[in-house]
Amino acid sequence: MMAKILIQTTIPYTQDDWHVGRFRLVTGLLARSHDVTARDKDGTPDTVLAGIDQSDYDQVWLIAVDTGDGLSPDECSAISEFRRQGGGLFV
């Protein structure tokens, strides 16, 4: 069964920082057998993470590359609910 996986960083894109493109090897490996979306945070709150509990993703791979303020309270609540509903979380 092909899982739908979100690989998400906790910071917006910055070329000389840990944007999601830096994780292209793991993204490519997972994409061989799964439906993978790889993205950087797009704001606070992030449009995808803040509603992740209402998404059709099976797993979230959250790459916390921020300096301590990467997730908003709304994002944390949605991620917690996603997990309670049985979604997989790799942090």
Side-chain angles (χ1 to χ4, degrees):
M1 181 175 148
M2 184 184 301
K4 187 166 182 185
I5 301 172
L6 171 65
I7 298 177
Q8 170 87 37
T9 66
T10 56
I11 60 173
Y13 175 83
T14 303
Q15 183 167 341
D16 291 330
D17 209 342
W18 284 99
H19 59 82
V20 78
R22 303 243 182 183
F23 302 94
R24 68 184 171 278
L25 293 177
V26 71
T27 300
L29 182 64
L30 287 169
R32 290 180 184 174
S33 57
H34 302 289
D35 180 7
V36 177
T37 300
R39 65 188 300 277
D40 294 303
K41 189 169 181 171
D42 64 11
T44 301
D46 180 80
T47 56
V48 174
L49 286 181
I52 197 67
D53 57 321
Q54 298 172 28
S55 74
D56 61 348
Y57 286 105
D58 300 304
Q59 300 176 23
V60 173
W61 290 41
L62 188 61
I63 303 174
V65 292
D66 59 88
T67 59
D69 59 352
L71 296 175
S72 72
D74 289 341
E75 293 162 346
C76 288
S77 293
I79 292 167
S80 293
E81 182 59 28
F82 173 79
R83 185 69 187 109
R84 274 192 289 278
Q85 293 173 8
L89 187 60
F90 180 80
V91 180

